[in-house]
Amino acid sequence: MKIRTLVLLFVGPFLLSGNPVFSQEALQEDQTHVATWNRFADQTLALHRQLIDEQDVERQTTTGGYAHLPEFYRQESYFHDGELISRVQWEIESGDLHVIEVFIRDDEGRVVRDYTAAYLPEYHNAPTQTLVSFHAYNNGLHAFRSFDASGELNVERCSGTHEGERVELLVDQGSVFGSTEQDPELQQTPLYQRCFAGLPEKPGKYLQPQ
């Protein structure tokens, strides 16, 4: 079997959110979006606190930043039995939340769902990235499908090995450009179906982090 590598379009969320003018103007204009995405960030942070309260955890703390802000945030990573539960970045100067990530695992320790909310440095009108991602593990393949806090499909990715060949499949749904429909032709391919079998097509109740 020939290696299948499908990349339709990929524009990393942080690449777009890294443009402060674009992000701030868009968020200031849509107050429903602002409220929805801020609520998602708050709920993700609450889930993080719930999980570390329920389990014996080990915390590791580091600092980090960016080229023009080298000591911008304090990062706290929380582990249970060696597995990462959550990772939180706080702005050092203000104490505000910068990035929150929470990982939900199955009995085998595999991530089955994760949540992310991220704010631009020193800008807190609303997160510029929110994601709930669902993961599947099918015969040597690891796939995930991600939605933003508004329920819009964001990205699908599958990697691993199939029939002895390396697989790298990445599909960005182009939600930034107003196109969130999936490609029916791609969806009918055996590789796509094998990769994403069992993953939900809508986030449903999991838009509320849990």
Side-chain angles (χ1 to χ4, degrees):
M1 176 182 174
K2 186 178 180 180
I3 297 175
R4 297 293 301 274
T5 303
L6 302 180
V7 181
L8 299 188
L9 172 67
F10 181 70
V11 181
F14 273 113
L15 179 61
L16 290 171
S17 65
N19 183 334
V21 174
F22 175 85
S23 301
Q24 293 181 28
E25 288 181 353
L27 292 175
Q28 288 169 350
E29 291 173 359
D30 188 342
Q31 292 306 309
T32 299
H33 176 102
V34 167
T36 298
W37 285 37
N38 274 319
R39 181 169 60 250
F40 181 89
D42 291 342
Q43 291 172 339
T44 302
L45 186 58
L47 178 61
H48 150 73
R49 289 170 171 158
Q50 174 190 334
L51 291 174
I52 65 172
D53 284 345
E54 292 175 346
Q55 305 173 84
D56 293 328
V57 299
E58 175 191 353
R59 184 179 70 177
Q60 297 179 3
T61 303
T62 58
T63 59
Y66 308 97
H68 63 298
L69 296 168
E71 293 290 322
F72 179 70
Y73 59 79
R74 181 183 77 257
Q75 178 172 287
E76 299 173 349
S77 301
Y78 293 83
F79 298 85
H80 173 69
D81 290 340
E83 295 176 341
L84 182 63
I85 300 170
S86 55
R87 185 163 43 221
V88 191
Q89 295 176 1
W90 304 96
E91 294 186 13
I92 292 174
E93 184 173 338
S94 68
D96 290 331
L97 177 66
H98 182 44
V99 178
I100 173 74
E101 300 172 275
V102 176
F103 305 92
I104 308 299
R105 299 176 181 272
D106 63 14
D107 292 338
E108 299 179 44
R110 301 177 304 184
V111 175
V112 293
R113 195 165 61 257
D114 67 79
Y115 296 93
T116 300
Y119 293 84
L120 285 178
E122 302 175 338
Y123 179 71
H124 284 272
N125 186 43
T128 52
Q129 183 188 50
T130 57
L131 292 173
V132 51
S133 300
F134 301 89
H135 297 253
Y137 304 86
N138 296 312
N139 300 315
L141 298 170
H142 171 209
F144 67 84
R145 176 176 288 148
S146 301
F147 303 83
D148 66 25
S150 299
E152 297 294 335
L153 182 60
N154 187 285
V155 66
E156 297 173 312
R157 184 165 192 167
C158 178
S159 61
T161 303
H162 175 55
E163 297 182 353
E165 301 290 349
R166 184 67 186 171
V167 172
E168 289 292 344
L169 189 156
L170 177 63
V171 184
D172 189 298
Q173 297 302 324
S175 58
V176 171
F177 305 103
S179 175
T180 58
E181 294 184 0
Q182 293 177 297
D183 182 345
E185 183 176 346
L186 174 63
Q187 289 179 295
Q188 295 304 313
T189 63
L191 178 61
Y192 181 95
Q193 293 181 2
R194 183 178 293 273
C195 276
F196 298 102
L199 285 179
E201 296 183 1
K202 299 289 183 182
K205 66 180 182 179
Y206 294 108
L207 270 184
Q208 178 174 333
Q210 55 191 281

